[in-house]
Amino acid sequence: MEISASGRLEVRITAADVGKRVSVRRLTDDGDTVEKFTDTVGVLTSWDDGVLLITRRAGERVRIAESTLVAGKVVPAAPARRRGPAASYEELARVAARAWRPVESERLGGWELRAAGGFTRRANSVLPLGDPGVPLDDALTLVRDWYGARGLPAYIQTSTGAEGTEELLCAHLEARGWSNEVTAELWVGALAPLADREAPEVTLSRTADASWLGRYQRKGVGEMALRVLGSGPSVWFATVPGAEGEPPAAIGRCVVDGRWAGFAAVEVDPAHRRRGLATAVMAALADRALTEGASAAWLQVETDNTAARTLYAGLGFAAHHAYHHYRWTPVEEAAEGAGPTGPAGAERDASEGAAATAPETSGGAETYRSA
């Protein structure tokens, strides 16, 4: 914390520091006679009416009464990762977007409006990389109208926890009635150690055939979904065959894009768990990506998917930043407690990555995907 020359703690931040990363210490009053202090580090997203709002790395909002502050200072942007490939938020956001392309898109300044008939939130949300070119309220009106014309709920994908992420935009959206429907993280790791692992029985293909789709967690995949699944600079699908006449024992998807290989849709039949099939699928895809010149890997995992997070941490992956899907809920819909609108499937998945909420099941499959 900030300490003056006299050795006393000092508050050296003001409302002019909104948008900067800060570290503050506040006095906690829990009824105890002993004074207790709590430290908070994050982006200062507002300072109004005597209350500070600080957004932590994972997107958690902390409200702090100005009267409880005992120290505070501006601190450097989140430190670079100590292991794994280095990358900026914008680079990873663009790589992830190219790996899961919408069927239709339109530019609004630095924002990209994306739609794919409601198949996954990531293909049906705004990616706001830059300024929309118009005032924020006007941009949000255009976004709502654009998705409304397509019979889709309006989503905006934001991020927190790295230099250049969108903590301020998150705060502005919440102040305007948008709600955070799902949070996940993008993890990165080295590719070569993963490719060195054993990958028996895994076959690779350029297309998601009927067999692969038989194991894929989302049923009734239509034309738009197939177009999204097949999108990306260099797409590969991995399959571990199951018993004769049965869906595969495991599947996975990888998109190679320059130095990056992105993993998604890793699913394992529960009857074949604890055989290392998820690792084998990723190893085979990683080996293929290495031959195409990739050296780094990324994937997405929801914060409460313990099984997937354990798997990926063991393979050398670690979190780079968090991302969130904010949904606009009309006043009348919020009052009625209505659920998301739009085509079937729009209400569940946000971004079809390599891992998601606690393992989802479809026909019993253990799933490592993101929402």
Side-chain angles (χ1 to χ4, degrees):
M1 304 308 299
E2 195 69 14
I3 302 176
S4 68
S6 64
R8 298 181 61 183
L9 295 173
E10 291 187 353
V11 178
R12 296 194 174 184
I13 57 174
T14 69
D17 294 312
V18 167
K20 298 178 181 178
R21 188 168 181 262
V22 300
S23 176
V24 303
R25 174 169 291 178
R26 71 184 188 275
L27 182 64
T28 303
D29 182 9
D30 58 3
D32 201 332
T33 56
V34 179
E35 289 187 339
K36 295 182 179 179
F37 300 96
T38 300
D39 294 335
T40 303
V41 178
V43 175
L44 180 62
T45 49
S46 69
W47 190 332
D48 299 314
D49 300 323
V51 177
L52 291 72
L53 180 64
I54 295 178
T55 302
R56 288 176 166 166
R57 178 183 180 89
E60 177 191 358
R61 308 255 186 286
V62 181
R63 296 183 183 278
I64 300 173
E66 180 180 346
S67 60
T68 66
L69 291 180
V70 295
K73 65 178 180 178
V74 174
V75 295
R81 287 173 35 76
R82 298 183 182 276
R83 64 187 180 95
S88 69
Y89 159 68
E90 183 172 344
E91 177 187 2
L92 283 167
R94 294 190 184 281
V95 167
R98 288 194 295 268
W100 197 255
R101 295 298 303 151
V103 174
E104 177 186 7
S105 67
E106 184 175 322
R107 303 298 304 186
L108 178 60
W111 292 14
E112 181 184 9
L113 284 62
R114 306 173 293 183
F119 176 70
T120 73
R121 290 189 192 89
R122 182 150 57 103
N124 293 271
S125 60
V126 178
L127 182 63
L129 295 181
D131 192 293
V134 297
L136 179 60
D137 287 325
D138 293 342
L140 296 180
T141 297
L142 291 169
V143 166
R144 292 193 296 266
D145 291 346
W146 195 84
Y147 284 99
R150 290 156 179 77
L152 295 169
Y155 285 103
I156 297 179
Q157 180 181 317
T158 64
S159 60
T160 58
E163 185 173 4
T165 47
E166 296 135 348
E167 286 84 354
L168 283 177
L169 178 57
C170 293
H172 289 316
L173 291 174
E174 290 190 1
R176 288 162 172 79
W178 293 67
S179 58
N180 183 6
E181 199 163 82
V182 65
T183 290
E185 291 176 339
L186 189 145
W187 289 25
V188 297
L191 192 64
L194 179 57
D196 285 341
R197 294 173 178 264
E198 295 294 325
E201 306 178 76
V202 182
T203 61
L204 301 181
S205 172
R206 283 293 197 179
T207 59
D209 58 17
S211 176
W212 193 96
L213 293 171
R215 172 56 57 203
Y216 187 49
Q217 192 268 341
R218 283 175 183 78
K219 303 305 177 184
V221 174
E223 179 185 352
M224 283 198 178
L226 289 173
R227 289 173 65 179
V228 175
L229 281 167
S231 65
S234 179
V235 184
W236 290 95
F237 297 91
T239 302
V240 176
E244 185 175 354
E246 296 293 327
I251 61 170
R253 175 182 182 267
C254 179
V255 178
V256 185
D257 183 355
R259 73 180 180 119
W260 291 102
F263 297 90
V266 178
E267 301 186 14
V268 178
D269 185 329
H272 297 277
R273 290 175 184 170
R274 305 191 184 282
R275 288 179 48 196
L277 294 186
T279 299
V281 162
M282 294 179 68
L285 291 168
D287 185 65
R288 178 68 255 182
L290 279 177
T291 67
E292 295 189 12
S295 59
W298 65 270
L299 51 82
Q300 292 160 313
V301 55
E302 282 195 353
T303 54
D304 59 355
N305 190 344
T306 303
R309 295 168 75 87
T310 299
L311 169 66
Y312 299 134
L315 295 177
F317 288 84
H320 183 278
H321 64 267
Y323 68 95
H324 321 274
H325 279 97
Y326 279 85
R327 179 178 181 271
W328 168 251
T329 303
V331 175
E332 60 274 15
E333 183 176 314
E336 295 172 2
T341 59
E347 69 278 3
R348 175 62 191 96
D349 187 7
S351 50
E352 188 56 39
T357 57
E360 301 174 31
T361 58
S362 175
E366 183 171 18
T367 306
Y368 303 92
R369 70 173 74 251
S370 75

